[in-house]
Amino acid sequence: HKPISPGTYGVVYVCLLGLTALTVYLASATKLGAWEVPVALGIASVKSILVGLIFMHLASSNRLTWLILGAGVLFLAVMILFTMADYWTRG
């Protein structure tokens, strides 16, 4: 696969630090109400995508790796869906 330059690693590292600082700031200094959890999960999703694509070299992986990643994400979505369906149907 195509090598990633050290500069790219540095930029991603700074982005991850910035997103972590943003999460801490939003959690401690602002009151988002019902939006706190979705915003925090959105930031965490962006950070996990950055880590996966750059540090785990998924950006230059073959199709089989992407297929396995997609199957894992699909399985996680099904588990969350079933859990939430159970939660929503309880009294």
Side-chain angles (χ1 to χ4, degrees), residues 17-71:
L17 287 176
L19 289 170
T20 301
L22 178 63
T23 303
V24 171
Y25 171 75
L26 290 176
S28 62
T30 62
K31 301 294 182 208
L32 297 177
W35 285 97
E36 286 182 2
V37 172
V39 168
L41 288 174
I43 294 170
S45 297
V46 170
K47 291 188 328 187
S48 66
I49 289 170
L50 281 173
V51 168
L53 288 176
I54 303 302
F55 291 111
M56 297 174 69
H57 303 282
L58 289 176
S60 59
S61 293
N62 58 20
R63 289 186 181 184
L64 180 60
T65 304
W66 281 99
L67 178 68
I68 293 170
L69 175 68

